[in-house]
Amino acid sequence: MAKIQGAITVDNERCKGCELCMYTCEKQVIGMSEAVNSKGYHYAYMVKPEACVGCSNCGVICPDGVISVYRVKVEE
């Protein structure tokens, strides 16, 4: 049986580091980077990509729409 693996992409330049995505992620996949974008904000990234289930809570809660969520079938 195939397993569903999730993944996100973040538009680093548009992310303002509000951290809402971090708090809505039940699997604690998202963290804030140490680096900053050109506007001086720490941006979101996947800390634990293997734990992502593709629930899309982070994409829905993002006020700027900078997170895209993907789901991929992975063979076990």
Side-chain angles (χ1 to χ4, degrees), residues 3 7 11 21 28-29 31 33 38 41-43 46-47 49-51 58-59 63 73:
K3 179 181 174 185
D11 183 345
C21 55
Q28 300 169 341
V29 172
S33 71
S38 63
Y41 296 119
H42 295 278
Y43 50 86
M46 293 181 78
V47 177
E50 67 282 352
C58 56
K73 286 184 181 179

Side-chain angles (χ1 to χ4, degrees), residues 2-75:
K3 179 181 174 185
I4 300 296
Q5 177 69 44
I8 66 168
T9 58
V10 179
D11 183 345
N12 296 343
E13 285 303 310
R14 290 183 49 220
C15 180
K16 62 184 178 189
C18 68
E19 299 183 2
L20 290 175
C21 55
M22 280 179 47
Y23 298 114
T24 193
C25 182
E26 295 176 7
K27 303 291 184 180
Q28 300 169 341
V29 172
I30 303 171
M32 290 293 132
S33 71
E34 293 293 321
V36 295
N37 60 20
S38 63
K39 296 177 185 173
Y41 296 119
H42 295 278
Y43 50 86
Y45 78 104
M46 293 181 78
V47 177
K48 298 189 295 186
E50 67 282 352
C52 184
V53 294
C55 69
S56 72
N57 288 343
C58 56
V60 171
I61 198 80
C62 181
D64 298 316
V66 302
I67 300 175
S68 299
V69 181
Y70 302 95
R71 292 184 190 148
V72 195
K73 286 184 181 179
V74 179
E75 295 297 324

